Amino acid sequence: MIRIGFVGAGKIAQALAKGFIAAGLTKGEKIVASDPFPQTIKNFEMLGAQISSDNRLVVEQSDVVFLAIKPETVPAVLCNIRPHICKRHLLLSTAMGVSIQDIEKALPPATRVIRVMPNTPVLVRNGASVFVCGSATQYEDEIITRRLLEAIGTCDKVPELLMDTITALSGSGPAYVYIIIEALADGAVKMGLPRDLAYRLAAQTVVGAGSMVLATKAHPAQLKDDVTSPAGSTAEGLHFLEQHGLRTALIGAIEAATLKCRQISKETKEHISNSCSTKQQLCIKSQDQADNFSAGKRVRN
């Protein structure tokens, strides 16, 4: 069983932990998690995991450490755990917009870092995840990462330059699909279907359509045409969607979310750079004070 730690116990961390347990990769008692918010960390306690408000405890008691925190908290957290990172640790970061280079600069040399972008359907072992390997990672680290992510859905290795767009697509995508499911069901309720049946049929339709794309490898347009009879109800519905800009709205949503990710990435990089500079200045000041203290002792002696 893999000893897994979570620095940050929010929704994506909870989804990953539950998915790993369901897949039999680990057990609740093999997981340790930290978070400053008691109500959030309580969800991990319900899994049987060890919980703490101390990030250092997570690192000390884990082999694989997930950094599942907000980007603005990354500099402080990395500073906090840096002294406790050693050769056995594999660090997997889900922090949006934080590059591998920025993480590696804040940790000891040769720290093995992999950047991961899962999505919330990992909770039901049907996630779409990608990962990027850092400069010090080894083949075995990639194997472990694939083993973890493939147990809770699909998994692809990608270049880091694609991460912002992937975040906009598969990271944010479930939210778009939930709106589509809700809207389809609302339309069916408007036309007389019971709401529970409408939700069930709408959700299964999305699942089935996605499965058709993956299983047949046919172009979505071809699959759409296979459903569309001349002068039929599907053609009428598709015409309405085109008139009201569904395709344009979805394309625009991916573009807007990608640009937002890039903005966050830029701001986070600047924040980390400033934090690192401040940290280095403090370290130099502390070392100077220590040297002066030592020199003073030698003079007195």
Side-chain angles (χ1 to χ4, degrees):
M1 292 285 179
I2 303 174
R3 295 193 304 170
I4 302 176
F6 290 91
V7 175
K11 292 187 182 301
I12 196 64
Q14 294 169 35
L16 288 167
K18 290 175 182 177
F20 295 150
I21 292 171
L25 292 177
T26 191
K27 294 181 178 179
E29 56 266 30
K30 292 286 186 179
I31 293 176
V32 56
S34 61
D35 198 278
F37 300 104
Q39 191 57 43
T40 301
I41 199 69
K42 188 175 181 181
N43 293 312
F44 267 86
E45 187 176 26
M46 294 169 64
L47 297 175
Q50 182 179 353
I51 62 172
S52 175
S53 59
D54 189 348
N55 299 327
R56 296 168 296 183
L57 179 69
V58 173
V59 174
E60 290 169 355
Q61 298 194 11
S62 305
D63 299 317
V64 176
V65 180
F66 277 87
L67 194 66
I69 55 178
K70 299 291 185 183
E72 61 269 17
T73 67
V74 167
V77 170
L78 292 180
C79 182
N80 179 241
I81 67 174
R82 175 187 169 92
H84 306 274
I85 295 289
C86 59
K87 290 184 178 180
R88 81 167 192 275
H89 289 117
L90 172 61
L91 184 70
L92 285 85
S93 171
T94 68
M96 184 182 74
V98 183
S99 71
I100 285 178
Q101 183 182 38
D102 288 333
I103 296 172
E104 289 179 338
K105 284 194 302 185
L107 293 174
T111 299
R112 293 142 52 214
V113 179
I114 292 181
R115 185 177 173 187
V116 177
M117 176 48 64
N119 61 7
T120 53
V122 299
L123 176 61
V124 292
R125 298 178 63 189
N126 208 11
S129 303
V130 300
F131 69 94
V132 182
C133 289
S135 61
T137 53
Q138 303 169 0
Y139 177 70
E140 292 76 12
D141 300 325
E142 182 176 333
I143 295 299
I144 291 172
T145 302
R146 285 190 179 278
R147 182 184 171 199
L148 288 169
L149 298 180
E150 288 177 352
I152 50 177
T154 64
C155 169
D156 290 283
K157 183 179 180 181
V158 298
E160 192 167 28
L161 61 87
L162 299 180
M163 286 296 280
D164 289 332
T165 304
I166 290 170
T167 301
L169 176 60
S170 58
S172 302
Y176 314 149
V177 176
Y178 297 145
I179 287 180
I180 292 171
I181 291 171
E182 182 184 30
L184 289 171
D186 284 346
V189 170
K190 178 181 178 182
M191 302 310 295
L193 278 192
R195 184 163 292 278
D196 60 341
L197 178 61
Y199 281 138
R200 191 161 62 251
L201 291 176
Q204 183 57 44
T205 298
V206 170
V207 171
S211 297
M212 284 284 287
V213 173
L214 294 174
T216 66
K217 294 181 171 53
H219 194 287
Q222 179 60 55
L223 295 173
K224 175 204 68 181
D225 289 348
D226 292 343
V227 183
T228 310
S229 302
S233 60
T234 303
E236 195 70 22
L238 288 171
H239 183 220
F240 188 91
L241 292 176
E242 293 291 356
Q243 281 183 316
H244 290 80
L246 175 67
R247 188 189 301 267
T248 300
L250 291 174
I251 292 171
I254 299 299
E255 181 181 5
T258 300
L259 293 176
K260 182 64 174 179
C261 288
R262 289 175 182 170
Q263 177 189 339
I264 293 173
S265 298
K266 181 180 178 181
E267 292 172 352
T268 301
K269 182 176 286 291
E270 292 173 353
H271 180 51
I272 290 176
S273 178
N274 292 336
S275 296
C276 287
S277 297
T278 301
K279 177 186 169 187
Q280 289 173 352
Q281 291 171 3
L282 290 173
C283 287
I284 292 172
K285 183 178 180 181
S286 297
Q287 186 61 52
D288 287 344
Q289 290 175 341
D291 292 342
N292 291 337
F293 177 76
S294 299
K297 285 186 66 177
R298 287 195 297 270
V299 169
R300 286 194 298 270
N301 291 338

